[in-house]
Structures are given as structure tokens and as C-alpha cells.
């Protein structure tokens, strides 16, 4: 009898165990999309359990996210989060978008599902998540947004695993596979969108066991035909591996070291005591992790303790700094030893190698420092083809420079540069060194220099016109400078044609990023602006009306950068109508209207853009979280106070605080005794004004037209000039 009972118990236990296993599933979910250059890739594995059956149509379920991979790429920002492969993590501490994933990572969440419709107890979940955010010391003003995004994400993750009855209303077909499963199939194809979907689900619980959805769309983005693709899939996965406490706490370490947590900060400034505790807590666990070392060094830098930063940088092995700017900083350390140099060079990415060799190393070689010349030689012979390519053009120039009084030597090394493959002209910046030699030749024999310059142009042109070339902007700058050199030595008719080519290839012609050429300008092989010289040549040749049209065109592209040149040219060439009247009648109407807004000030009063009409109004976009904004605030406050003292001033001034809270702004102003007027952003106004970064200044004309200013420009002098026009 005992044997029979024991056998029954074993059978019952096995049956319960089997039933339990049947109620637990391990699934992998993929969710990817691309819209133009914006790409998002999300993959995660989950364990889905059925806790109990509440009714025939309602079940209590539990989801736990076990591993997460999330990557997003666009023109401004790249970020990757990987719980399984931390070495792939990039920039995850720089955005709150990663925090919902970390909050949901390995967190069991229960929910009800009725006919495939998921319902999560959001109040209960919110309470749990809030406790976690508090433990991580997430700054209060970020908590509300993070909580909303996390609850929404959990709802979406759970819903992805169930087939909702609402979906059956779509133009697809449901086909029963057997007594427990059915499939939903959809195949749509029209001129704008193509969708293919197949989903297999349990007909009793509506739980998805496998799914695939692909959608391709041709949609209009910014008036351009941009193809978009969306992909979603659910498939079976394996049991997740057990993770150690160190692995679980790794992401918490990153969050506590981010700008969203007060774990190392007090009043948004690095707290030396908190930072010391943070490093002591995590250094024993993660000192061999690149992410931790990068965060630690970054925090020490932000603290302003540069001696400590250099000491820590010296102690960390180069491999642990790979793919960070700290590796570049270690490379330029004054006490860098030969062993570290040999280890660092192969670890530099292409951009880091180019920047170090062409900017830092070059300057030390030019200064004749023996250590730099030795590094240049090693770069050429001790590493791979990549490093040889970076070094060879500089080596040829240096040999020419040492023999700069010998024309034959200059030509010999110059022709050696011309003979190099295009990769040396791009990645080794051979065009810079060829121009150096050309200028040295020009001091001795102008005809020889002119012939050599033509050869440089032939070599540069295809590189400058290749839109896929990563160094295209620099090559264009060099090509523009070639034509400028031709123009300075040519007769007036030819000079105008040469200068027109210089304008065409220069960065400002298409408003390209001028920072890419900053070193080339400082080294004398590129110029800030060719346009004024070109337009002056046009005027000298009797084409002053055409020149004026071009000045106006350039002003409309870059308001603050080209205003002075436009005014000086007009006042020199035209006297029938004052420049102020011409500007008001002919140029102001061509400006865009300042986007309308209605915001509240710190006294809760409504303020709109129309209230500033009749004056030249400076609008400053800023935030208490923005270091450069805070740094310039004393000057802004003084500027505002000076304007208030002048009753006849034609200038008004207003600021708009973005991504901020009224309480933080008021506390900041009170602490510093600032009186500047502040409007609180509605989180839309900065986008309607297309704010490129913070701080940013815009000027609204008395008529309500918009004038932009470049970051770092003399906006005070600019608006003062404008206010004198009329």
C-alpha cells in the first residue's frame, strides 16, 4: 500500500512539475525600426509565467526581463545598452532613456490579461519603481518622466507577448492550427506601404508563441522621400544564465555615476566625499571594466581636480580606456612611457589617431622636439599600414622642411607626396603637407609653385567632391585655399574666377561645420572666409549689384557672421539710400517670422511673442543644468541691468529656461541674486526655434522677424549694431 501511495505521489509531483513547466516560457523579442538615418534596435529575453487562471478569459501572469540589448543611432547621438555583453555599452550614462530598461531588468511584474488585453496595476508598479529611483538617488525632477516611460515600457513589453482581439479587426486572416493554437496572417501591399505578418498564439490564453512582422514604408520626412522599415518578432529562447551580484549591480553603478543621480553630487555639483565613497564602493568590483573607469575619470574631471585626474589616468591600463576620450588624453600625457605608447596606438580609433597625429604630434614635430620626431618614426615602421599611412606624409614634409632653402629638395619631397595613394591624402592629410611645401616654393620660384599647385588641385578635386569621404570637409578647405593662392597671384579677371572657386569649395558656402577645419586654419592652409574678397573683386570689375545680391544671400545663411561684411560693403559701394533703410525695406522681409509662443514667467503670468514687437529683442535659451549657461549668467544679468537703466533703449531681453523646473530656476536666481526675466519653456518652444544647443541667442526684429546668432559670437555687439539701423 505504501508503495502504491508513493508511486501516486511521484506521478502527481511529476504531473505538477510538468504543468508548471508548461506554464513557464522563455521568449526572445526583437523590435527594430529605421527611419532615414535614425535606427533603433531592441532585443530582450523574458520569462513568462502563468500564475493562475482567474476566469475562462482572464489569467494572472508574470513577466521578467532577463537580458536586454538596446541600440539607437541618429545624426546627433549613438547609444548601446547590453546586459549580456557590457563591453558593447556606449553612452548609456548620458541619457535617461536607458533607466527604464535598468528598472525592468530582472524585475518580476505581475499583470492580468483578458482576451489578449494586458492590464498592469500601474499604481503598485509606480510605487515599487519610485522606491528604486529613490535608492539610486535619481534627481526628483527626472523621476516623473522616468516613471511614466517605465510603466509604458512594461505595458508594451507584456502586450507584445499576447494577441489582442482588437488586432483581428485588421485585414488579416485567423486560421486554426489545432485545438490549442491558431495563426494570424496578414499580407498588405500598396504603393506606400508593404506589411507581412504571421503570429501563432494560444486560442485559450491568447499568448503568442511565435511572431514575425515586417513593414516597409515610403513616407515624407522633411519633404524628402525617406524609406522606413519596421521589424518585430517573438521566438522561443533558452533558460537565462544565473547572474552574479556584481553583474546585477553593474548597471546601478553606471546610473549612480550619471548626471541623473545625486549619488555623487550635491546641488548638481560633484561632492568630493560622495565621489570618494562611490569610487571606494565600486572600484573593487569594476576596476577592470572600461565603463567604470571612464565614468570615474569623467567625474574626477568634472570636480576640477586635474592633478588627481592625471594620477588616476596614469594608473589605468590603456586597454581599459579604449573607445573613450581618456585614451586620447593618456596619449598626450607628458610622462607617457614607450611601453604605453606602443600599447595605445593600436587602440586608438581612426578619428583619435588622425586627431592626435595631425594636430598634437605635428605641432611638436614642427617645434623640433626629439621625442615627437622619434614617435613619428615609430608610427611609420613599428605598427600596421594604418599608422604608416598616418605618418608618411608628415615625414616627407619634415624632410622637406629641414631642407627648405633647397628648391630641388622641396620639389623632390613634394613630388613624393603627389605620388602617394589617395588614402595617404585622406588619412595622412597629405594635402596639408603638400600646401606647406607649395608655400615654401612660392617664396623662391612663383612659376614652379604655380605648377605644383595645379598638381595639388588635380589630386585634391576627386577627394573633395566624394560625398562619402570622411575627410571631405578638410579636403574642400584645402582645395579652396589652393584657388585662393592662385587668385592672389593672378590678374583681376582670372583672380575673380579663382576666388569664385575658393568660395564654392569653402565650408561656409554650404554652412558646413567650421570646427572640422579649425586646425587647418590655424596652421595656415585654410581661411575662415573667402566670400568678402570675392565680392570685392566683383565690385572692382563693375559688378557691384551682383556682389550685393551675394552679400545678402550670405547674410541670410549666417546672420551674425556676415552682417558686418554686408554693411561695410553697402556703405562703401552705395550712397543713394542709407544702409538702415535698405536693410529694413529689402532684407527684413526676407527673414522668417519668429515662431509664436505663449509661456509663463516665474510669477505665473502669461507672456507671448507679440508683447516684444517694436523693439530688438534678445531671446536666450538656457537651463540651470547647463554649465556654459551658468558660467555666462553674471554677464547676462549685468547686461539686463544696464538695459533697464536706459529708458530709451531699443533693445529688450528675455530668457527661456528649458528642460528645467520653476523651483530650480527660482532657487538659482535667489542664490546668485540675479534679476534676469525668465520664461519657463513649454518643452515645445525650443524645437520651434530649432535651438542647436545651450546657451543659444536669437534676436527678434521690431517687426517680429527672426535673426540667429552663432555660438560664441559677439551677440551684444551685433544687436547693438542692429538697433542703430532704424
Amino acid at each position: 500500500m505504501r508503495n502504491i501511495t508513493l508511486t501516486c505521489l511521484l506521478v502527481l509531483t511529476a504531473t505538477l512539475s510538468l504543468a508548471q513547466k508548461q506554464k513557464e516560457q522563455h521568449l526572445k523579442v526583437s523590435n527594430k525600426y529605421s527611419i532615414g538615418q535614425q535606427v533603433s534596435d531592441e532585443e530582450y529575453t523574458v520569462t513568462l509565467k502563468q500564475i493562475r487562471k482567474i476566469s475562462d478569459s482572464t489569467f494572472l501572469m508574470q513577466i521578467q526581463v532577463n537580458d536586454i540589448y538596446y541600440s539607437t543611432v541618429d545624426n546627433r547621438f549613438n547609444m548601446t545598452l547590453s546586459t549580456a555583453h557590457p563591453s558593447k555599452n556606449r553612452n548609456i550614462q548620458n541619457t535617461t532613456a536607458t533607466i527604464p530598461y535598468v528598472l525592468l531588468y530582472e524585475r518580476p511584474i505581475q499583470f492580468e490579461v483578458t482576451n489578449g488585453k494586458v492590464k498592469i496595476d500601474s499604481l503598485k508598479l509606480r510605487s515599487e519603481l519610485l522606491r528604486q529611483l529613490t535608492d539610486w538617488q535619481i534627481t526628483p525632477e527626472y523621476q516623473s518622466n522616468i516613471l511614466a516611460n517605465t510603466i509604458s515600457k512594461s505595458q508594451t513589453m507584456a502586450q507584445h507577448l499576447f494577441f489582442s482581439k482588437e488586432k483581428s479587426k485588421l485585414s488579416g486572416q485567423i486560421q486554426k492550427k489545432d485545438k490549442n493554437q491558431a495563426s494570424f496572417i496578414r499580407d498588405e501591399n500598396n504603393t506606400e506601404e508593404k506589411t507581412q505578418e504571421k503570429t501563432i498564439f494560444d486560442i485559450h490564453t491568447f499568448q503568442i508563441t511565435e511572431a514575425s512582422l515586417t513593414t516597409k514604408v515610403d513616407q515624407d520626412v522633411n519633404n524628402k522621400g525617406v524609406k522606413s522599415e519596421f521589424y518585430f518578432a517573438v521566438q522561443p529562447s533558452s533558460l537565462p544564465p544565473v547572474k552574479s551580484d556584481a553583474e546585477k549591480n553593474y548597471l546601478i553603478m553606471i546610473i549612480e555615476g550619471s548626471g541623473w543621480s545625486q549619488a555623487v553630487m550635491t546641488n548638481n555639483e560633484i561632492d568630493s566625499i560622495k565621489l570618494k565613497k562611490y569610487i571606494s564602493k565600486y572600484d573593487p568590483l569594476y576596476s577592470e571594466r572600461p565603463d567604470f573607469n571612464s565614468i570615474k575619470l569623467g567625474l574626477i574631471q568634472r570636480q576640477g581636480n586635474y592633478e588627481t585626474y592625471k594620477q588616476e589616468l596614469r594608473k589605468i591600463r590603456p586597454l581599459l580606456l579604449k573607445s573613450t576620450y581618456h585614451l586620447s588624453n593618456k596619449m598626450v600625457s607628458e610622462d607617457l612611457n614607450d611601453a604605453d605608447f606602443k600599447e595605445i596606438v593600436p587602440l586608438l580609433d581612426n578619428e583619435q589617431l588622425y586627431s592626435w597625429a595631425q594636430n598634437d604630434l605635428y605641432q611638436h614635430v614642427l617645434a623640433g622636439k626629439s621625442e615627437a620626431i622619434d614617435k613619428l618614426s615609430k608610427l611609420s615602421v613599428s605598427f600596421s599600414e594604418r599608422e604608416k599611412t598616418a605618418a608618411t606624409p608628415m615625414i616627407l614634409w619634415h624632410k622637406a622642411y629641414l631642407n627648405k632653402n633647397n628648391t630641388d629638395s622641396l620639389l623632390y619631397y613634394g613630388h613624393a607626396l603627389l605620388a602617394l595613394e589617395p588614402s595617404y591624402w585622406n588619412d595622412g592629410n597629405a594635402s596639408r603637407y603638400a600646401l606647406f611645401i607649395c608655400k615654401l616654393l612660392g617664396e623662391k620660384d612663383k612659376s614652379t609653385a604655380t605648377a605644383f599647385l595645379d598638381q595639388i588641385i588635380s589630386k585634391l578635386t576627386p577627394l573633395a567632391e566624394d560625398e562619402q569621404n570622411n575627410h571631405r570637409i578638410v579636403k574642400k578647405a584645402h582645395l579652396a585655399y589652393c584657388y585662393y593662392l592662385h587668385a592672389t597671384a593672378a590678374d583681376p579677371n582670372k583672380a575673380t574666377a579663382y576666388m569664385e572657386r575658393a568660395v564654392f569649395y569653402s565650408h561656409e558656402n554650404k554652412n558646413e561645420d567650421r570646427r572640422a577645419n579649425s586646425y587647418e586654419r590655424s596652421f595656415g592652409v585654410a581661411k575662415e572666409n573667402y566670400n568678402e574678397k570675392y565680392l570685392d573683386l566683383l565690385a572692382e570689375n563693375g559688378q557691384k549689384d551682383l556682389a550685393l545680391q551675394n552679400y545678402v544671400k550670405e547674410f541670410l545663411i549666417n546672420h551674425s557672421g556676415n552682417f558686418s561684411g554686408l554693411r561695410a560693403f553697402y556703405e562703401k559701394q552705395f550712397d543713394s539710400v542709407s544702409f538702415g533703410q535698405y536693410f529694413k525695406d529689402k532684407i527684413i522681409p526676407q527673414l522668417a517670422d519668429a515662431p509664436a509662443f505663449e509661456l509663463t514667467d516665474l510669477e505665473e503670468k502669461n507672456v507671448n511673442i507679440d508683447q516684444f514687437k517694436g523693439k530688438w529683442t534678445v531671446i536666450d535659451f538656457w537651463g540651470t543644468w547647463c554649465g556654459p549657461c551658468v558660467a555666462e549668467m553674471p554677464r547676462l544679468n549685468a547686461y539686463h541691468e544696464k538695459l533697464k537703466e536706459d529708458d530709451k533703449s531699443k533693445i529688450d531681453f528675455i530668457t527661456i529656461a528649458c528642460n528645467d523646473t520653476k523651483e530650480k530656476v527660482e532657487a538659482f536666481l535667489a542664490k546668485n541674486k540675479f534679476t534676469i526675466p525668465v520664461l519657463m519653456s513649454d518643452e515645445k518652444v525650443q524645437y520651434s526655434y530649432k535651438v542647436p544647443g545651450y546657451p543659444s541667442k536669437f534676436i527678434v526684429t521690431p517687426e517680429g522677424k527672426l535673426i540667429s546668432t552663432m555660438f560664441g559670437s559677439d551677440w551684444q555687439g551685433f544687436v547693438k549694431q542692429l538697433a542703430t539701423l532704424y
Side-chain angles (χ1 to χ4, degrees):
M1 184 71 181
R2 287 179 59 191
N3 290 338
I4 294 173
T5 303
L6 181 60
T7 302
C8 290
L9 283 171
L10 290 171
V11 170
L12 179 60
T13 302
T15 303
L16 288 171
S17 177
L18 179 61
Q20 186 64 33
K21 286 181 179 179
Q22 288 174 338
K23 290 180 180 180
E24 180 177 294
Q25 274 193 310
H26 305 293
L27 299 166
K28 177 182 177 182
V29 180
S30 302
N31 194 20
K32 307 177 183 181
Y33 72 82
S34 64
I35 304 176
Q37 293 183 326
Q38 184 179 0
V39 179
S40 176
D41 185 353
E42 176 187 73
E43 287 188 353
Y44 52 90
T45 60
V46 301
T47 297
L48 183 65
K49 291 182 181 180
Q50 184 186 121
I51 305 301
R52 69 174 183 272
K53 182 177 179 181
I54 298 174
S55 69
D56 287 343
S57 59
T58 303
F59 299 85
L60 180 63
M61 308 292 295
Q62 178 178 287
I63 183 176
Q64 178 174 305
V65 180
N66 301 312
D67 268 320
I68 300 167
Y69 175 84
Y70 175 60
S71 175
T72 180
V73 178
D74 61 27
N75 289 330
R76 299 172 299 169
F77 183 69
N78 298 344
M79 186 275 289
T80 300
L81 166 67
S82 175
T83 57
H85 304 284
S87 61
K88 294 183 179 180
N89 289 338
R90 296 287 182 274
N91 295 320
I92 62 176
Q93 74 274 21
N94 295 334
T95 171
T96 57
T98 58
I99 298 182
Y101 289 100
V102 182
L103 281 168
L104 296 176
Y105 179 51
E106 296 202 327
R107 177 183 297 276
I109 298 175
Q110 292 189 1
F111 59 92
E112 291 183 6
V113 58
T114 302
N115 293 326
K117 185 77 171 178
V118 167
K119 182 181 179 182
I120 290 178
D121 186 343
S122 59
L123 291 178
K124 179 183 176 183
L125 180 57
R126 180 186 177 87
S127 177
E128 294 175 6
L129 297 175
L130 184 57
R131 284 198 297 273
Q132 184 68 80
L133 292 177
T134 303
D135 287 344
W136 293 344
Q137 299 183 57
I138 299 298
T139 307
E141 56 260 37
Y142 301 125
Q143 290 184 5
S144 177
N145 188 47
I146 292 170
L147 287 170
N149 289 340
T150 306
I151 292 169
S152 175
K153 174 61 69 176
S154 65
Q155 177 81 24
T156 300
M157 284 179 162
Q159 188 63 66
H160 277 163
L161 303 176
F162 291 88
F163 182 82
S164 172
K165 272 191 172 181
E166 294 177 0
K167 199 166 189 178
S168 63
K169 298 176 184 178
L170 298 173
S171 58
Q173 293 182 337
I174 295 180
Q175 299 175 353
K176 192 171 182 179
K177 292 174 67 70
D178 53 43
K179 64 178 183 179
N180 293 317
Q181 286 192 324
S183 62
F184 174 75
I185 298 173
R186 182 160 61 114
D187 193 344
E188 298 178 355
N189 193 356
N190 56 49
T191 56
E192 294 182 356
E193 180 176 327
K194 181 179 181 180
T195 299
Q196 290 181 317
E197 177 180 5
K198 182 177 181 180
T199 300
I200 301 173
F201 61 95
D202 185 295
I203 60 175
H204 307 292
T205 65
F206 291 91
Q207 182 182 327
I208 293 173
T209 55
E210 201 165 343
S212 175
L213 168 65
T214 302
T215 300
K216 296 182 179 181
V217 183
D218 288 328
Q219 65 183 39
D220 195 15
V221 178
N222 296 328
N223 297 319
K224 296 179 180 179
V226 176
K227 290 186 177 181
S228 304
E229 293 189 13
F230 303 84
Y231 172 76
F232 171 77
V234 177
Q235 54 191 323
S237 180
S238 58
L239 185 70
V242 178
K243 296 180 176 64
S244 67
D245 288 341
E247 289 175 305
K248 292 178 182 178
N249 292 330
Y250 172 71
L251 292 172
I252 299 174
M253 173 274 294
I254 291 177
I255 286 177
E256 289 185 349
S258 73
W260 320 112
S261 170
Q262 292 296 307
V264 295
M265 293 191 289
T266 299
N267 296 326
N268 293 319
E269 294 183 358
I270 300 296
D271 185 312
S272 58
I273 295 175
K274 287 184 176 181
L275 177 57
K276 188 175 181 179
K277 288 180 179 179
Y278 174 83
I279 293 174
S280 298
K281 177 181 178 181
Y282 290 120
D283 209 45
L285 295 172
Y286 306 117
S287 61
E288 292 296 303
R289 294 280 186 98
D291 271 351
F292 172 68
N293 285 295
S294 179
I295 292 171
K296 176 175 69 173
L297 289 170
L299 291 171
I300 293 171
Q301 267 190 316
R302 285 174 58 191
Q303 189 184 21
N305 194 334
Y306 297 110
E307 282 304 315
T308 302
Y309 174 78
K310 288 192 288 186
Q311 291 171 13
E312 288 294 324
L313 190 64
R314 193 181 300 120
K315 291 188 293 186
I316 298 172
R317 292 186 294 113
L319 183 61
L320 299 177
L321 301 173
K322 185 179 179 181
S323 301
T324 73
Y325 70 88
H326 302 293
L327 185 65
S328 296
N329 288 349
K330 192 175 181 76
M331 187 65 166
V332 298
S333 299
E334 294 178 358
D335 56 354
L336 184 72
N337 60 52
D338 190 58
D340 278 351
F341 172 74
K342 289 180 178 178
E343 185 179 354
I344 291 174
V345 169
L347 295 175
L348 296 171
D349 63 31
N350 292 340
E351 185 176 341
Q352 287 175 317
L353 176 64
Y354 181 92
S355 178
W356 167 72
Q358 304 307 324
N359 303 331
D360 183 81
L361 182 63
Y362 160 72
Q363 293 183 75
H364 287 90
V365 170
L366 178 63
K369 294 186 178 181
S370 57
E371 300 90 342
I373 296 169
D374 182 53
K375 285 178 181 177
L376 179 61
S377 177
K378 289 176 180 175
L379 200 63
S380 176
V381 299
S382 301
F383 298 96
S384 70
E385 185 67 24
R386 182 185 77 137
E387 287 75 24
K388 180 182 176 182
T389 301
T392 299
M394 197 188 312
I395 289 173
L396 291 173
W397 158 79
H398 187 240
K399 290 178 178 179
Y401 182 75
L402 294 175
N403 294 277
K404 59 184 177 183
N405 294 321
N406 188 316
T407 302
D408 290 339
S409 291
L410 291 175
L411 281 172
Y412 174 82
Y413 292 113
H415 286 127
L417 280 169
L418 291 171
L420 292 174
E421 295 295 320
S423 60
Y424 289 83
W425 280 65
N426 274 327
D427 303 325
N429 207 9
S431 48
R432 174 201 286 178
Y433 303 108
L435 281 168
F436 285 161
I437 291 176
C438 184
K439 292 173 77 172
L440 290 171
L441 283 170
E443 296 173 4
K444 304 183 181 308
D445 187 336
K446 295 206 177 287
S447 62
T448 301
T450 299
F452 185 67
L453 190 60
D454 285 332
Q455 291 177 286
I456 296 175
I457 290 173
S458 297
K459 194 82 175 183
L460 266 177
T461 301
L463 300 176
E465 294 181 349
D466 180 4
E467 295 188 0
Q468 304 304 313
N469 184 1
N470 292 335
H471 297 288
R472 181 173 181 246
I473 294 178
V474 172
K475 299 307 113 179
K476 286 178 64 180
H478 289 162
L479 189 54
Y481 191 73
C482 287
Y483 284 112
Y484 165 78
L485 290 178
H486 264 322
T488 58
D491 62 67
N493 289 327
K494 288 185 177 180
T496 303
Y498 282 133
M499 199 60 71
E500 184 177 15
R501 301 299 292 168
V503 170
F504 176 79
Y505 283 112
S506 65
H507 71 274
E508 70 269 18
N509 187 59
K510 293 188 177 180
N511 207 26
E512 292 171 341
D513 189 352
R514 60 193 293 272
R515 293 170 297 180
N517 297 321
S518 59
Y519 279 101
E520 307 311 309
R521 293 195 299 273
S522 65
F523 297 152
V525 288
K527 279 190 167 292
E528 177 72 26
N529 188 293
Y530 301 98
N531 201 56
E532 288 188 19
K533 178 66 175 175
Y534 166 60
L535 297 180
D536 286 343
L537 284 171
L538 281 179
E540 289 172 13
N541 290 336
Q543 296 178 285
K544 67 178 185 179
D545 289 333
L546 177 60
L548 179 60
Q549 290 175 23
N550 278 276
Y551 263 111
V552 172
K553 179 181 176 183
E554 291 300 314
F555 168 77
L556 294 173
I557 292 173
N558 180 354
H559 299 155
S560 60
N562 293 320
F563 175 79
S564 296
L566 167 63
R567 182 174 190 171
F569 177 82
Y570 184 91
E571 291 178 343
K572 179 181 178 182
Q573 299 290 340
F574 300 88
D575 56 12
S576 58
V577 175
S578 71
F579 176 70
Q581 194 65 45
Y582 174 79
F583 191 84
K584 181 178 182 180
D585 294 343
K586 301 296 183 181
I587 298 179
I588 289 290
Q590 298 185 59
L591 295 171
D593 292 332
F597 62 72
E598 184 162 339
L599 306 173
T600 57
D601 63 16
L602 297 180
E603 296 178 353
E604 302 294 338
K605 295 178 181 177
N606 290 338
V607 178
N608 63 62
I609 187 66
D610 291 334
Q611 293 173 228
F612 300 99
K613 282 192 174 180
K615 284 195 171 186
W616 299 89
T617 303
V618 177
I619 303 178
D620 174 50
F621 289 87
W622 71 292
T624 60
W625 46 267
C626 163
C629 303
V630 171
E632 75 163 358
M633 197 53 66
R635 295 191 299 275
L636 284 187
N637 194 69
Y639 178 72
H640 169 64
E641 290 292 337
K642 188 175 181 180
L643 287 179
K644 285 200 306 182
E645 294 172 1
D646 185 0
D647 293 336
K648 297 180 180 180
S649 175
K650 296 181 180 179
I651 302 171
D652 211 336
F653 178 74
I654 193 72
T655 74
I656 299 177
C658 303
N659 305 314
D660 227 324
T661 65
K662 180 173 177 284
E663 294 72 22
K664 288 194 70 175
V665 171
E666 288 177 329
F668 172 78
L669 296 180
K671 177 184 175 182
N672 295 282
K673 299 181 180 179
F674 292 147
T675 61
I676 59 166
V678 180
L679 304 180
M680 296 306 300
S681 168
D682 57 3
E683 302 310 321
K684 298 177 183 177
V685 63
Q686 59 261 46
Y687 297 105
S688 61
Y689 275 75
K690 299 179 181 178
V691 173
Y694 297 89
S696 283
K697 310 286 186 299
F698 292 85
I699 299 168
V700 179
T701 73
E703 301 85 355
K705 297 290 187 175
L706 188 65
I707 293 177
S708 60
T709 70
M710 292 177 63
F711 179 76
S713 65
D714 179 16
W715 59 269
Q716 291 187 33
F718 182 30
V719 72
K720 185 176 181 180
Q721 287 188 67
L722 291 171
T724 63
L725 296 180
Y726 57 90

